[in-house]
Every structure is written in structure tokens, then in C-alpha cells.
Amino acid sequence: MKKGFQLAGLDNCESESPLGGKSNRCVVVAANVPILAHSLERTQRNWFARSNSPTDLIVQVGDSTFHLHKLAMASRSEYLNRLVFQRGSNRERVGDSLIIQLKNLPGGKKYFELVVKFCYGRKFDITAANIAPLYCAAHFLEMSEDLEQGNLISKTESFLTFLILSSWKNTFRILKTTESISPWAKDLQIVKRCSEAIAWKACTNPNASCENEGPLKHAQASNSVVDNWWFEDVSNLRIDHFVEVIQSIRRRGTKPEVIGSCIEHWTRKWFSQVTLGLDKDTPKPITLHLHRISTECLVNMLPTEENSVTCNFLLHLLKAGLMLKINSELLCVLERRVALMLEKCRVPDLLVKNQGEKHSLYDVTVVLRVLRFYVCGLSSNRSAKPHIVARLVDGYLTHVARDENLTMESFKSLVEALPQNARYCDDYLYRAIDMFLKAHPNLTEEDRTDICRKLEYHRLSHEARQHVMQNDRLPLKLTTEFVILEQVNMATLMTSNGSNYRRTNAQTIMRVNRDLENRQINNAKEINMMRKDVEMIKSQLLEVNSCKIKLQKQLKRCIY
């Protein structure tokens, strides 16, 4: 650690070593002070500058009062100089002392106290924790070199530049202190300078996050550097500062997927309080307003490049946007981006968890919104592959169907979200429906019939049909229909193979129609009888086929 280091007029600065040490600090002493104060005494909320001459200036900052000397303060501050020596007889006085009120001083009374110490030539430390507010206060009071060489603006400017360029951690400390003086920090380019310094170090110095670590940790980090080493520090920033940093990093040509990952890291950290309802320090309306603004900022700053952000993150962001009621155009932006990614997604990409015991485990409403957006664009997208999305949706349905809290309306809406011709086969859809019925055994016959409305006999494989006819969870009407259609199908096969089976295809169809008209098939016993009939037809068909094979063999023998 170096002591007594001189930096552009700063006195007695200390600098940390690369491998550790104290935080950077600098002891500031003003030169050529017109009035020296023996002491600065505090009595409750009043400050008194004790010197050989009586005080003649009272400065009120907030609820505190400073009893000072005009010459000491006005000689360093152009702003106070104008207030002290402006003309007018109606100014407020207490005895021989002029009263001045300072409103909107950056940092308030805490930093005006440091300004007073500087003007009276008393030593004080400036560090990363106070440099930004003090720098802003110096600009507010116009403490420039025009009045005195080595004035407070030049001293704080030099040390601020030194801290930003030399220390990764102190740059973040400076940004943190600017939150309470945000307009001034932005106007004086403090936020921009810190953001550009962070971007420069993040893009050029992979080991910058290892400062203040021992040699062993430093060496280990050097051997395991990855693109996201800076994510955690950046994720501690407030949204406006985070936006500035990301913009600076983007201007340096960082990969879009790295920027997208950083945005996702920040969002998951800050928005856990929204989804979990843990943010109790701030009143709810204010909290929701801040998160709404944050969400809109995040959507606007997302990289537009393909695969720069994950589908799952976009769905979580969409969920947050719906909760917070962000701008509808931004919601459409998110829905469109996810819809364009659906054909390359997997089932885990669609899983967005809900919070609370009364809700379903996964939020299906966000997925449903994206599916409807996707379907709306099918007519204008000739390269779309809806059968791939249908397979994805059926897999998603299978995953969420096990949830007892998933409502029938939500499940049915997902089943019907895609057009009928999007599925080549209904096997996976049938599996999802069967799982849902198993998890919801108390559904009425009418509800079960409604859920199964999308299932079609000719779109199921032979194995799936057999399972349907033996599945007691399905509505009786559907099971009956499948058994009848299976009979028709078997009869068609029999007649096409030249069987002498007495029931022709036309007779079978006539019987089916007659049974349906008379509504005679209405109980499980009849279904079981029909199942046996189907099994008997199968065995007869096998016999016919074996006879056919024997006849073909005998015919070959006769020919030869």
C-alpha cells in the first residue's frame, strides 16, 4: 500500500494492491484558506465554526443549521457568493448573520458538512462511498478553479477518475451511491463513466473480478475464466444503471447470447420478489410500478438476434408482464418471439411454475397465449411446421396433466389450441388425456366426454385403439363408438379377404345404426359383450387367413 501518493492535487492518497489491502481513500486539505476554524462543533442539529472572528452566515440545509463565515464559504463557492452578495434589503437575518437556505443540495447535510470542512481547511477522507455525492455537491455549489486553484471540483474529479479506472469493486460502490442523487449523477456523466469502465473491464480483463483475493484464488480464477464472470456484480445494479451498463457492453461488440444471459441473470434475481411476494419493504403500489417499469425496460433491451435469449426466460418475462400489466405492444413482442421459437423448443422450455398451493403447478395461460399467437400466423407462414409444434404441445400436456390443480377448462383449451390437421397421430394426445382423467377421477360423464372430443378413431394406432376399448376412465359413449368402429373395421377386413363370414359390411353398418338409434348400448355389460365379439372376429379372421395359406400351398402343388 502506497502512502502519500499525489494525484492531481490530492493529498495523502492510499491505493489498494492488486492482491488485497484497504479501500482507496484520499485525505483532502484545501490550500490558501482565508479563515481557519479551530473546531467545528455540533450541538443537536446546529453546527458552529469556531475561529477568531464571529460567524456572520447561517446556512440551513434540511433540518440542520450551520453557523459559518461569509468569507470562508463565498471564496470557494460561486453559488454561495451570489447568494451572499446579491442586492436586496429584504433578506432574512438573525443579528448580523445572513440566513441562506440550500434546497436540493445533492447528498444533503451530510455532504455539506464535508464542504464546510474543506472551506475551513480541515482534513477529511474521500472514498468510493462518498466521492459521487461530494462531486455532485461541489458542482451544485460551483466550487471551480475559477475561484481558487485546487478547489473541490478538481480534487473530487481527479480522485473519481482514479477510482473508476483502477478498481472494479469501487466502480460498483460509486454507482450504488449515485442512486440517491440520480439526476445529478446522470447529468454529470458519473453513471455513464462507470458503465463504460465496467464494460471495458468486462470485455478486456477476465480477471478483474478477482481483485481483493489472495494469490491462490487469483490464479485459480485465471484458469477457469468464462464469459459470465461479471454477471453477479452487474446483477446487483438498479434497473437504470443496469440498462446503462448493458448498452455500454453491447457497444463493445459483446456476443448477443452473452448479453441475453446477463439480462436473464439480472431478471431472475430481482423478479423473484415479484413472483414470491417477498418485497415487503416498499409499499405494494410503488413496488408494482417499479417492477412494471423494469419489465418494460428489459423487453426493450433484449437482443433481437436469434437464440440470444431462451424460450423459458421469455415465457417467465411474459408471465411477469401479464402480472404487472405492462404495455400491450411489448406483450405482443414477447408472444411473437416465443411463437417463432416453438418449432425448436423442448417440453422443459415451456414449463413456467406458479406460486401458491391453490394454483396449478405450472402456468399454462402463458403457453396458451403463445400457441394462439402461433396459430394466428400459420396462414401467412408457408414454412411453418405445425406438426412439430403439435408434438411439443402433446408432450407438454402429458407433463402438466398429472397436476390435480389443473382445471378442466385450461387443459381443454390447450388441447383445442391447435387446428385438427396439425396432428398426424393422436396417440400422444390420448396419453395426455388419459393421464388427466386419472388425476381427476371426480369428473362427470359430460366433462369427460367434452375433454375427449378431439380424439378420433382413424388417427390412433392399433395399440392405442385397443387401450381405448379397455379403458374404464374414458366416457362410455367414446368407448362404445370405438368398439363399434372396430367391429366395422374388422368386418371390412373380413369381406375384403373373401371370407364366408355371414355378417357382411352392409349388415354390420345397419346393425350399428339401429343400435345407435334405439340407444340400446348404454351400459358397461353391453360393452364387454361387444369386446368379446371383436375378439371372436379376430380369431375367425386368423382361421380364415390360415385356411387361405393352406389353399395357396395346395394350389402350388397342383400346378407343379
Side-chain angles (χ1 to χ4, degrees), residues 393-429:
V393 172
D394 290 346
Y396 177 75
L397 284 168
T398 303
H399 194 93
V400 301
R402 304 179 181 92
D403 184 7
E404 297 178 357
N405 291 328
L406 181 63
T407 64
M408 187 193 78
E409 291 75 15
S410 297
F411 183 82
K412 184 171 175 287
S413 297
L414 283 171
V415 171
E416 298 175 349
L418 295 176
Q420 187 71 19
N421 60 359
R423 293 181 174 88
Y424 292 157
C425 176
D426 283 353
D427 281 19
Y428 296 106
L429 177 59

Side-chain angles (χ1 to χ4, degrees), residues 37 39-41 47-51 53 55 67-69 116 120:
S39 64
L40 288 174
E41 299 177 0
W47 290 86
F48 297 90
R50 303 300 185 187
S51 69
S53 58
T55 60
H67 297 261
L68 309 170
H69 299 82
V116 171
Y120 281 97

